[in-house]
């Protein structure tokens, strides 16, 4: 599974939800370490739902699903090289949610996604 890429729509869906949570005042609710740690353990989406209840609905990407695993994997890959250099690489200094948006943009920029097969 680690070689699988998520749908572009899955990455942007996560980005829209994170952006909404930031806009609702949750920008400082999650630390860099929490983002990195949950990417490492493969539990990022579940963590976000638990940490800020009511702001995230990842029911279309349940734990263990192909898209959940793929999103976590590519965001973990995208985060490589940021740790300890967040401000320099993304301009983000403290907010884990803002850093997560940077990882999503990095994954999209790297074309670490596929188009959904709507056959």
């Amino acid at each position: 599974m680690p070689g699988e890429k998520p749908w572009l729509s899955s990455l942007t869906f996560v980005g829209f939800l994170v952006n909404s949570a930031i806009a609702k005042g949750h920008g400082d609710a999650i630390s860099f370490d929490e983002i990195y740690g949950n990417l490492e353990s493969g539990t990022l989406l579940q963590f976000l739902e638990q940490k800020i209840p009511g702001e995230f609905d990842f029911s279309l990407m349940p734990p263990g699903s192909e898209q959940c695993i793929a999103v976590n994997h590519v965001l973990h890959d995208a985060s490589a090289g940021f740790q300890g250099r967040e401000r320099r690489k993304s301009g983000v200094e403290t907010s884990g949610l803002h850093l997560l948006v940077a990882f999503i943009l990095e994954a999209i920029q790297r074309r670490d996604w596929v188009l959904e097969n709507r056959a």
Side-chain angles (χ1 to χ4, degrees):
M1 183 69 210
E4 297 293 321
K5 295 181 179 185
W7 298 328
L8 176 59
S9 61
S10 294
L11 282 175
T12 58
F13 178 72
V14 174
F16 289 136
L17 290 178
V18 171
N19 195 47
S20 175
I22 292 168
K24 292 178 182 175
H26 300 290
D28 293 326
I30 297 175
S31 70
F32 286 2
D33 287 341
E34 289 172 311
I35 295 294
Y36 287 118
N38 283 282
L39 283 173
E40 181 70 31
S41 66
T43 58
L44 180 67
L45 302 184
Q46 302 93 294
F47 168 75
L48 293 174
E49 285 183 320
Q50 292 170 356
K51 183 74 176 194
I52 309 173
E55 287 303 318
F56 299 97
D57 179 4
F58 297 119
S59 59
L60 295 176
M61 292 184 276
S65 70
E66 180 181 313
Q67 287 302 298
C68 179
I69 293 168
V71 164
N72 198 94
H73 176 74
V74 301
L75 293 178
H76 183 257
D77 283 355
S79 73
F82 275 80
Q83 202 159 13
R85 302 178 346 189
E86 293 87 0
R87 186 182 59 79
R88 189 174 36 174
K89 297 240 346 153
S90 68
V92 177
E93 295 189 37
T94 59
S95 168
L97 289 180
H98 284 96
L99 185 62
L100 182 53
V101 170
F103 295 164
I104 292 166
L105 293 172
E106 177 72 12
I108 292 170
Q109 179 175 281
R110 293 166 40 152
R111 298 180 191 261
D112 213 354
W113 48 268
V114 295
L115 292 175
E116 182 177 354
N117 182 2
R118 298 179 187 241

